[in-house]
Amino acid sequence: MRLPLAAGLLLVAAALGALCLGTPVVAPSRLPDLLAGGGAGAGTTGAGALDAVVVREIRLPRLLLAAAAGACLGAAGLVLQEALRNPLAVPEMLGVSSGAALGVAAPLVLVLPLPGWAHPLLAVGGAALGGLLTLAAAGFGRSPSAVLLTGAAVAAALQAGLLVMMVMADRLDLQLIFRYLMGSLSGRGWDAWGGVWPWAAAAVPLLVLCLPVLAVLRLGDADAGALGVRVHRARLAALAVAVLLIAPVVAVCGPVAWIGFLAPHLARRLRPGADVVGWLPWAAAWGAVVTVWADLAARLVLAPVETPVGAWTALVGVPAGVLLMRSGRTGPRAAAATAAAGTAATDAGRGGDPPPEGDGAGAARTRPSGGPAPRAQREPAGTQQKGGSS
């Protein structure tokens, strides 16, 4: 119960800070009245009406958007890492975020008359294109390291396309694109929230269907294929679910960096005995917590100047994720590996084989196929019986 309580307290504290802090400062005791009706007991009618507008029309949708964006990115990061069996497989390193950003920035620079509802579709198309290019160039994930290196190259190529778009843009569009590429929640209201939550709701049942396949893919391609899983199609399906989670967030908020890297590692580190089914809700929860806190820092640390939220998530997410990976190598994973080795040795002893008595015994059991046979196998049966009776 300590872990859910800690996560809940962190999220509640961040939510209170997001709704109360800023200009104007609102007391927590007034929040129920402001959220429900709009300042009936505020004392001064004008001030109460202003506080109600600020809380309900500016801070509340921004809080909900930050929580939803963090949850989507955290869940998508876990799906990508488990599907590719690589702890560094994050949207920023696979061309998914860069592709979505290019799909949104290109119509803005090229002055294409598109309605607002088309931007998420362009982001989905760009994210799918970046992910498919990465998987196709890397042989659809046959080697996790190849996928990571190829994804970095694809992301660099897509970012070069973004630089070309920035060169072509005028000064006003350049400022908008630059702030967008850093990842920002500034000025996002209920329309932005409406552009994210339907996609997130549509991805939830797909995530539930994807979890059993992810659990099998963790066994390796050969074992998963032996169990009847079509590995390439399963990876494409996992990529499609991740794109459905990432692209709407990038379309509205920009590429908020490294949430998909930090949140899954937090889930694994804090729940080492769980599996993919147990990690997914915690990856989404920690993604929401980190994003809400990062947005609060972006609003308040350098006030009245507001910094991009993506700068704070990258500043905190990268070193924290690296520390979690390093501690995981010598922590619960190493203990689990040691326990598994001990269990295997015990099972071998129960099966009738003699327990190992040193390096020589282990070498005798695992001799190469081309080496000489042991002496007991080279001698005739009668000689063995004589030697045994003497």
Side-chain angles (χ1 to χ4, degrees):
M1 292 297 293
R2 292 181 180 179
L3 185 59
L5 181 60
L9 289 177
L10 285 173
L11 188 58
V12 169
L16 288 176
L19 294 176
C20 297
L21 299 179
T23 304
V25 177
V26 177
S29 59
R30 295 180 55 202
L31 284 179
D33 181 56
L34 294 176
L35 293 174
T44 303
T45 306
L50 177 62
D51 293 348
V53 170
V54 169
V55 171
R56 286 188 298 155
E57 302 299 328
I58 298 178
R59 295 181 183 175
L60 181 59
R62 182 165 177 168
L63 169 64
L64 295 176
L65 180 61
C72 289
L73 293 176
L78 181 67
V79 169
L80 291 175
Q81 291 175 16
E82 294 297 324
L84 298 174
R85 304 195 315 277
N86 193 324
L88 297 178
V90 292
E92 292 79 17
M93 295 294 292
L94 296 177
V96 177
S97 293
S98 300
L102 183 60
V104 175
L108 178 63
V109 175
L110 299 177
V111 197
L112 299 179
L114 296 175
W117 55 264
H119 291 283
L121 297 179
L122 293 174
V124 170
L129 177 62
L132 287 175
L133 284 176
T134 299
L135 287 181
F140 289 92
R142 290 188 177 92
S143 172
S145 59
V147 171
L148 187 62
L149 294 175
T150 307
V154 171
L158 295 174
Q159 289 172 2
L162 285 170
L163 290 177
V164 172
M165 292 296 169
M166 294 176 69
V167 170
M168 296 173 57
D170 57 18
R171 181 171 299 179
L172 179 59
D173 290 340
L174 181 61
Q175 293 179 356
L176 293 175
I177 293 175
F178 179 76
R179 181 168 288 272
Y180 166 78
L181 292 178
M182 291 295 292
S184 177
L185 300 179
S186 177
R188 305 302 192 269
W190 288 111
D191 54 345
W193 162 249
V196 171
W197 76 263
W199 297 86
V204 170
L206 298 178
L207 275 174
V208 175
L209 295 176
C210 187
L211 286 179
V213 180
L214 291 178
V216 177
L217 287 178
R218 297 187 76 231
L219 302 175
D221 291 358
D223 293 337
L227 293 175
V229 175
R230 298 181 178 180
V231 178
H232 292 176
R233 293 186 180 182
R235 284 206 175 95
L236 287 176
L239 176 66
V241 174
V243 164
L244 194 62
L245 290 168
I246 296 167
V249 175
V250 176
V252 173
C253 309
V256 182
W258 299 106
I259 294 296
F261 174 68
L262 177 60
H265 286 290
L266 277 173
R268 293 190 189 97
R269 187 68 179 90
L270 297 176
R271 293 184 64 87
D275 55 1
V276 182
V277 179
W279 287 331
L280 181 64
W282 286 106
W286 285 115
V289 170
V290 173
T291 307
V292 172
W293 275 104
D295 185 52
L296 186 61
R299 285 202 303 118
L300 301 178
V301 170
L302 298 180
V305 178
E306 183 173 328
T307 54
V309 66
W312 290 96
T313 56
L315 183 65
V316 176
V318 174
V322 170
L323 288 176
L324 287 171
M325 289 180 62
R326 290 177 61 88
S327 62
R329 291 175 184 174
T330 58
R333 290 186 180 179
T338 304
T343 304
T346 303
D347 293 338
R350 290 176 180 174
D353 295 335
E357 298 178 356
D359 295 339
R365 289 194 306 272
T366 60
R367 64 178 184 87
S369 58
R375 181 178 179 182
Q377 297 180 12
R378 294 198 303 268
E379 294 177 352
T383 307
Q384 295 181 24
Q385 292 176 0
K386 291 180 181 180
S389 61
S390 58

